[in-house]
Amino acid sequence: MLNKEVLLEVKNLVTDFKTEDEYIRAVNDISFTLHKGETIGIVGESGSGKSVTALSIMQLIPNPPGRISGGQIIYHTKDHRSVDLTKVSGKEMRTLRGNEIGMIFQEPMTSLNPVIKCGDQVMEAIMIHQKVSKRQARLRTLELFSQVQLPTPDLMLDRYPHQLSGGQKQRVMIAMAISCNPGILIADEPTTALDVTVQKTILDVMLKLQRQHNMGIMFITHDLGVIAELADKVVVMYKGRIVEQGLVMDIFRNPKHPYTKSLLACRPPLDKRLKRLPVVSDFMKQNAQGEIVELQKTVSEAIGSVSITKDERDKAHRELYSGNKILELQGVKTWFPAKKSFFGRTLSHTKAVDDVTFDVYEGETLGLVGESGCGKTTLGRTILKLVDAHEGKIYFKQQEILGISEDAFRPLRRNMQIIFQDPYSSLNPRITIGEAIKEPMTFHNILANPKERKEKVYDLLKKVGLEEKQFSRYPHEFSGGQRQRVCIARALAVNPQFLICDESVSALDVSVQAQVLNLLNDLKSEFKFTYIFISHDLSVVKFMSDRMVVMNKGRVEEIGDADEICNNPKSEYTQNLINSIPKGRLEDIQSSIDKKSSLLVNT
């Protein structure tokens, strides 16, 4: 790194949160340094303390119940002062926030005011910190919207957040965060729920802006693949502590801590076919005293022990595709009215699903992949008759289902279940998870009485890795991964033959994601399910799928064996999807380092 000027020094930081009985230490004695023009990646699972570290730096920890109980956060300002952020007044911190330290939050929809136009929100931040006129603020906002590559910036100024896509909203947040040319940009999981192509664009925008303004970037994520192609240094956090930190190439080439090894191994690889994904417990466990015990295993050993050979896969597929079809789609179209006349006649349609044809075999996992808006979720809901089709035919076990009434379809519905993306909004917050799992059994009159249904719920909880005693707990008492397991158990309660998983792991940490994906495959082996697995993450779809359907703008772009599509994509669209996936390979990291060095020299 050519520029060694220090921007931020975090020294022995401790942040606590008070419960009824005690203080819980969320950040425990951590230290790191950020320089100008440098990107430091902070990595770890949910609950590791990443976001609390960022909020501590921004002095946004709610007090009570939180408090910074130890350490220093030394920030070196634009006018070359050194200030301890833990000791500055509220007024001075408000001046530093936005003006000197910008932050991008994980969920842009909750960070943007839904009743104020996007342009006005950015203009407001500029006028507060820069003391300029409204006209000057508008011109600056237009310039920023161009810098973050928003299409038609002048139109975007007058649009409300709900009128923008997820990627566009995140770009508005970036524009707001950099509006005052801050010295530091803190990005807290800014690309977690975005398509890989949108994510790549966002990351490219951030790096371009970093070069223009020589910012220091603190990038928080649970995905080491993203960090590999973005960061100069990596800080790995686990349960509030830093377990490992160093240069990105050193961490990826030779990870020292078992937790770092597990994070590297959890992400599905594109270049191998695995039976199951390695998880954290493959690399470490805790003893009775709560100390970490390393299980001597390298990343390559963990992956190699669960790899599938091409011959094994070919043999399994010959048997699979000599069987029966469970689902057949013929020319399915799902169109929504886009424009209507004064008298209510539809003048044009949005073609969410446009002439889709394919089959699914019993016992198969068919992957459905594409960017947001490609029609994959609408297609899944059309198959389950949750959305009305405009045209076409769908056969489930040779019975045509689009043309039948809801009463006639109800006996089939128990055989066709869906696991949604957001488990929290899929569960009723007012009823216990045990009752939520039991509810569909009661509706479909499965088993003889409530006692038998309760015993069935206990059995399902065990199968998805939960405990009987959790029957009486409510959804808010569980983590995201546990809630998704509850939703899986609820879908299994009616003994379905066919399941649609709609982005069911996209918002989970990579380590938790690996556990849920392994669970879905284990359940498939035990109960002989058929899956349609919907995701924008091609590496996840490849791991899960026998065949893959790539969708683009409502149509099938290409269909075929999942490995063949990943290794030899036919269409340019599929190639772009694959190229956008952060792979975390050493050669990619070195290429990224060389590119940054070259740009710094030229600058």
Side-chain angles (χ1 to χ4, degrees), residues 75-141:
Y75 173 62
H76 301 276
T77 66
K78 293 176 184 177
D79 56 3
H80 306 293
R81 291 181 300 119
S82 296
V83 295
D84 185 350
L85 300 181
T86 65
K87 293 183 169 57
V88 299
S89 66
K91 182 179 179 182
E92 185 176 358
M93 194 64 219
R94 284 191 293 276
T95 303
L96 292 172
R97 262 189 232 117
N99 197 31
E100 300 250 4
I101 307 173
M103 186 163 180
I104 309 166
F105 294 93
Q106 178 173 356
E107 179 45 67
M109 197 62 208
T110 57
S111 305
L112 294 169
N113 191 321
V115 297
I116 299 177
K117 293 175 182 176
C118 294
D120 289 340
Q121 296 189 55
V122 178
M123 287 161 58
E124 180 185 27
I126 295 169
M127 287 188 287
I128 287 172
H129 290 290
Q130 300 290 305
K131 309 299 181 189
V132 296
S133 68
K134 189 171 182 178
R135 181 177 176 279
Q136 289 171 308
R138 184 178 177 86
L139 290 172
R140 172 67 175 147
T141 303

Side-chain angles (χ1 to χ4, degrees), residues 448-461:
N449 54 58
K451 184 181 177 182
E452 287 187 15
R453 290 176 192 132
K454 191 170 186 178
E455 289 300 321
K456 173 73 170 177
V457 174
Y458 286 152
D459 182 55
L460 287 169
L461 286 172

Side-chain angles (χ1 to χ4, degrees), residues 34-231:
L34 176 66
H35 299 81
K36 267 194 174 182
E38 178 182 62
T39 301
I40 187 167
I42 300 186
V43 188
E45 298 171 290
S46 295
S48 64
K50 314 182 299 293
S51 294
V52 175
T53 300
L55 293 173
S56 299
I57 292 169
M58 295 291 285
Q59 297 296 292
L60 291 174
I61 297 292
N63 187 5
R67 66 176 186 180
I68 295 174
S69 57
Q72 296 176 296
I73 304 170
I74 309 298
Y75 173 62
H76 301 276
T77 66
K78 293 176 184 177
D79 56 3
H80 306 293
R81 291 181 300 119
S82 296
V83 295
D84 185 350
L85 300 181
T86 65
K87 293 183 169 57
V88 299
S89 66
K91 182 179 179 182
E92 185 176 358
M93 194 64 219
R94 284 191 293 276
T95 303
L96 292 172
R97 262 189 232 117
N99 197 31
E100 300 250 4
I101 307 173
M103 186 163 180
I104 309 166
F105 294 93
Q106 178 173 356
E107 179 45 67
M109 197 62 208
T110 57
S111 305
L112 294 169
N113 191 321
V115 297
I116 299 177
K117 293 175 182 176
C118 294
D120 289 340
Q121 296 189 55
V122 178
M123 287 161 58
E124 180 185 27
I126 295 169
M127 287 188 287
I128 287 172
H129 290 290
Q130 300 290 305
K131 309 299 181 189
V132 296
S133 68
K134 189 171 182 178
R135 181 177 176 279
Q136 289 171 308
R138 184 178 177 86
L139 290 172
R140 172 67 175 147
T141 303
L142 270 172
E143 180 189 344
L144 287 165
F145 279 11
S146 296
Q147 282 185 349
V148 299
Q149 298 176 23
L150 276 169
T152 57
D154 53 331
L155 297 179
M156 290 292 173
L157 282 176
D158 297 317
R159 288 190 180 166
Y160 291 93
H162 73 271
Q163 296 176 297
L164 275 60
S165 69
Q168 288 171 339
K169 285 195 284 276
Q170 199 59 284
R171 289 181 220 195
V172 171
M173 284 299 302
I174 294 174
M176 191 183 300
I178 64 160
S179 60
C180 301
N181 298 328
I184 298 175
L185 181 64
I186 300 174
D188 186 6
E189 301 269 16
T191 62
T192 297
L194 300 180
D195 301 333
V196 286
T197 47
V198 178
Q199 173 181 269
K200 188 174 190 303
T201 303
I202 296 286
L203 297 180
D204 287 344
V205 166
M206 288 177 63
L207 288 174
K208 182 180 177 183
L209 293 169
Q210 180 184 42
R211 291 194 298 271
Q212 288 175 355
H213 304 291
N214 203 24
M215 290 186 301
I217 293 179
M218 199 171 104
F219 195 96
I220 297 169
T221 183
H222 59 255
D223 190 344
L224 271 165
V226 172
I227 288 298
E229 297 176 27
L230 180 75

